[in-house]
Amino acid sequence: MADTQHATDLGLELHHWVARLDPAKWRDEKRDELVAGFALLAGRFEEATAQFKDTDAQGEYDAVMLSLRAGVPTSSDLKNRWMEFRQEIHPRYEALASALRAHHVELPSLRPTNYTRSIMHVFSGFLGFSLVEFAPWNAVIGVALGFAVLAWTLELTRRKSHRWNEILMWFLGPVAHPHERFKVNSATWYATALILLSMTGEAAACAAGLIALGLGDPAAAFVGRKWGRTKLIHNRSLEGSTAFFVVASAFVFLAFQLFHTDLSLSTKIIAALVAGLVGAIAELLSGNVDDNFSIPLFAGLATWAALALLA
């Protein structure tokens, strides 16, 4: 590709405008600004046509061009029409970003508001928490291992078959982000973290990691998108990270109070704060690493270490 920096700048501009279509950030009064922004973007894409010719990114580039030329709503269109456009342009951005990686162009994945996914986070966290607290430890390891084997088997098979990948993404559509069509699924990373955590043999540590992901992460996403003003890194905000720390620490402490009465009060407080803090840091620093892997793993391991030191 002739100009990697130009392709990166163009991709980041597309990311900026598609991210503005997040339903949690939608404002009717911003429609004129969106129309103007996408019109300017379409012009920049047309000027860069030669840059993508004769590359394996050309097909995805042309698909984005088609959407920008013909699909952008008008300033008088209602939110529903804009959300239909978002459903069209978002996967095309992710397909373009995936193709450009072969040319050393790294673009961030979009993470739009998905309340169904957030509910699934909470449910899976509760399910995993129940397993580690109530099941024999051999069963915990067996379930975690089985989940990981199944997840990685699906990953490998969908890489071999485009049709199978499309079927799985259709099935996971309500909870999957579009970029997971081209990358390892978040559930697979979650399963990998579970099997690693189960090897500690420490129910309290595993519970802390699962709570951090299941409750802290959705809290950070909700607060960050709704009220996040102080931007940090990787599109995270101070407000979201604070919400993660508070929610994760509070619920880890509650879990310790209810299920780990052998621990002293000071140990419960310190270990819960460690879980919340490390989980929030892991979420904040998770750029190229999936946070469904980093959050439970590092929050759980940090809790395990804290419990060992405080014993």
Side-chain angles (χ1 to χ4, degrees):
M1 188 172 295
D3 189 345
T4 300
Q5 187 58 52
H6 189 195
T8 301
D9 292 343
L10 199 57
L12 289 174
E13 188 174 348
L14 177 61
H15 177 278
H16 168 79
W17 287 106
V18 178
R20 294 282 297 275
L21 299 175
D22 191 308
K25 300 177 181 177
W26 177 259
R27 299 291 183 274
D28 283 337
E29 62 271 18
K30 297 294 184 179
R31 286 176 292 183
D32 286 338
E33 184 179 340
L34 288 169
V35 171
F38 279 112
L40 181 63
L41 183 60
R44 290 198 61 198
F45 262 78
E46 289 174 0
E47 290 172 0
T49 300
Q51 183 177 354
F52 292 86
K53 291 299 182 184
D54 302 321
T55 73
D56 51 8
Q58 184 177 348
E60 283 71 22
Y61 170 80
D62 289 342
V64 170
M65 284 285 295
L66 180 63
S67 292
L68 293 177
R69 284 171 174 166
V72 178
T74 66
S75 58
S76 61
D77 282 317
L78 299 178
K79 178 181 178 180
N80 287 346
R81 174 68 189 93
W82 280 97
M83 292 304 103
E84 289 173 2
F85 173 64
R86 181 181 74 89
Q87 291 295 106
E88 174 187 345
I89 193 66
H90 187 165
R92 291 186 172 178
Y93 166 80
E94 296 294 354
L96 178 62
S98 178
L100 288 177
R101 289 189 191 102
H103 301 279
H104 309 291
V105 176
E106 291 295 332
L107 298 176
S109 296
L110 287 158
R111 292 177 173 269
T113 301
N114 186 331
Y115 295 117
T116 303
R117 186 183 177 95
S118 296
I119 292 170
M120 180 60 107
H121 258 286
V122 175
F123 175 75
S124 61
F126 175 77
L127 195 63
F129 172 80
S130 300
L131 178 69
V132 301
E133 293 292 357
F134 298 113
W137 204 253
N138 285 340
V140 173
I141 295 177
V143 171
L145 181 61
F147 182 24
V149 169
L150 173 62
W152 280 107
T153 299
L154 292 177
E155 287 295 337
L156 293 173
T157 55
R158 75 189 183 102
R159 293 292 179 270
K160 299 293 184 181
S161 169
H162 174 75
R163 176 61 178 163
W164 178 229
N165 187 38
E166 292 300 309
I167 291 172
L168 285 176
M169 288 304 299
W170 171 82
F171 179 74
L172 297 172
V175 297
H177 285 317
H179 73 262
E180 291 175 312
R181 186 182 305 273
F182 311 102
K183 294 183 176 181
V184 175
N185 190 279
S186 292
T188 304
W189 288 121
Y190 176 57
T192 306
L194 287 184
I195 189 60
L196 294 174
L197 274 179
S198 70
M199 296 304 173
T200 66
E202 177 59 68
C206 291
L210 294 170
I211 291 170
L213 179 67
L215 296 176
D217 193 38
F222 179 78
V223 172
R225 289 191 174 103
K226 197 77 173 177
W227 296 288
R229 297 293 182 269
T230 310
K231 295 300 181 183
L232 300 175
I233 58 174
H234 298 140
N235 204 33
R236 267 73 169 187
S237 68
L238 177 62
E239 294 81 1
S241 294
T242 301
F244 187 115
F245 171 69
V246 171
V247 170
S249 297
F251 278 94
V252 169
F253 175 74
L254 179 61
F256 288 170
Q257 280 284 81
L258 294 176
F259 298 100
H260 297 277
T261 54
D262 56 311
L263 300 175
S264 67
L265 180 61
S266 60
T267 296
K268 293 172 186 175
I269 293 173
I270 294 172
L273 291 174
V274 167
L277 179 61
V278 173
I281 293 173
E283 193 260 353
L284 178 63
L285 298 179
S286 295
N288 293 327
V289 178
D290 195 294
D291 60 9
N292 288 271
F293 175 77
S294 59
I295 290 173
L297 182 63
F298 290 114
L301 290 179
T303 305
W304 178 53
L307 291 172
L309 291 172
L310 295 168

